[in-house]
Amino acid sequence: MKHLINILDLSTDDIKELILIANDIIENPEKYALKCAGKKLATLFFEPSTRTRLSFEAAMLELGGSVIGFSEAQSSSAAKGESIADTTKTVNCYADIIAMRHPKEGAPTVAALNSQIPVINAGDGGHNHPTQTLADLLTIYREKKQFSGLTIGLCGDLKFGRTVHSLISAMSRYSDNKFVLISPDELKLPSYIKKDILNQNNLQYHETSDLQSVISDLDILYMTRVQRERFFNEADYIRLKDSYILTPDKLTHAKQDMCIMHPLPRVNEISVSIDDDPRACYFKQVLNGKYMRMALILKLLGVI
Ligand code: NCD
């Protein structure tokens, strides 16, 4: 494991190991406080971020390492027309590991091909977001104690939502999971994921636009934001943005132990009055993301 571009770069054994490391970090943080002393993480963020960038930075600082980087394309030489390959080769002279977010699908792959140091995909366009999936997996593991036999509802923008694409890929490798794909017609899961992941692995899935008709079946409800920045047309965004708004009354028929997840940021998808419901897991996901990124950095730097 040199780079993490796609969640499928990690075997299920790798994921098990990262979860064990993350759990040990949670229990014994002092053991890890100096593990990355003298190492530098570069966060190259060509797209806005709060959680992912700060989570990577907090992860590295809690491991005793340091952080350099930029948080918008405009403040990097990309604004002057520099290629991803050249930026990556440059950063190789300064850092030990890179976390890159980019609006173009495949950009972190190009970086990895031009890098001697590990590159982590921190979100590439509407494609993948493997470290959000690591956060999601630790959350599912801690809440459900298993990755199998779950009915997983994914709701909202399944077309552009990269967290959904990576989570489906990850969960497709465990047995007896069922996927319920809840979206407006225009925002359905791309057919390449249905073909390459769901059909290829003979997985059960069901598409609907009606959350209420399926909510009682779900063990996990993964809500997502409509991805405004990927739309060609603002009028379409405005028409679709409030397709799903989860309010307490809509949970009446949901299971008592259904896990409500969201990669955040939320816009209107989950009413704040749900935040105190014991089923709300989205702020736990944020914290779990930091621990999984710590585990990943340790693994990729080979210091564990
Ligand atoms: C997600 C992303 O960037 O894809 N956010 C995150 O990293 N937690 C989800 C989103 O922006 O909607």
Short mmCIF file of all heavy atoms in Angstrom, two decimals, residues 176 204 267 281 297:
data_model
loop_
_atom_site.label_atom_id
_atom_site.label_comp_id
_atom_site.label_asym_id
_atom_site.label_seq_id
_atom_site.Cartn_x
_atom_site.Cartn_y
_atom_site.Cartn_z
N ASP A 176 -24.01 -10.25 2.23
CA ASP A 176 -25.42 -10.03 2.59
C ASP A 176 -25.83 -8.59 2.83
O ASP A 176 -26.76 -8.35 3.60
CB ASP A 176 -25.80 -10.85 3.85
CG ASP A 176 -25.64 -12.33 3.62
OD1 ASP A 176 -25.86 -12.74 2.47
OD2 ASP A 176 -25.28 -13.05 4.57
N GLN A 204 -27.65 -7.09 -4.09
CA GLN A 204 -29.06 -6.69 -4.17
C GLN A 204 -29.17 -5.19 -4.03
O GLN A 204 -28.64 -4.63 -3.07
CB GLN A 204 -29.79 -7.29 -2.99
CG GLN A 204 -30.21 -8.72 -3.19
CD GLN A 204 -31.27 -9.05 -2.14
OE1 GLN A 204 -32.27 -8.35 -1.99
NE2 GLN A 204 -31.02 -10.12 -1.41
N VAL A 267 -26.70 20.96 4.26
CA VAL A 267 -27.35 22.23 3.91
C VAL A 267 -28.73 22.16 4.58
O VAL A 267 -28.90 22.66 5.68
CB VAL A 267 -27.37 22.45 2.38
CG1 VAL A 267 -27.96 23.81 2.05
CG2 VAL A 267 -25.96 22.34 1.81
N CYS A 281 -25.49 10.04 13.86
CA CYS A 281 -24.07 9.64 13.99
C CYS A 281 -23.13 10.58 13.26
O CYS A 281 -21.93 10.32 13.21
CB CYS A 281 -23.89 8.23 13.41
SG CYS A 281 -24.68 6.98 14.39
N ILE A 297 -2.10 7.50 7.94
CA ILE A 297 -0.80 8.17 7.82
C ILE A 297 0.30 7.27 8.40
O ILE A 297 1.36 7.07 7.79
CB ILE A 297 -0.83 9.55 8.53
CG1 ILE A 297 -1.74 10.52 7.77
CG2 ILE A 297 0.58 10.13 8.67
CD1 ILE A 297 -2.04 11.84 8.52
#
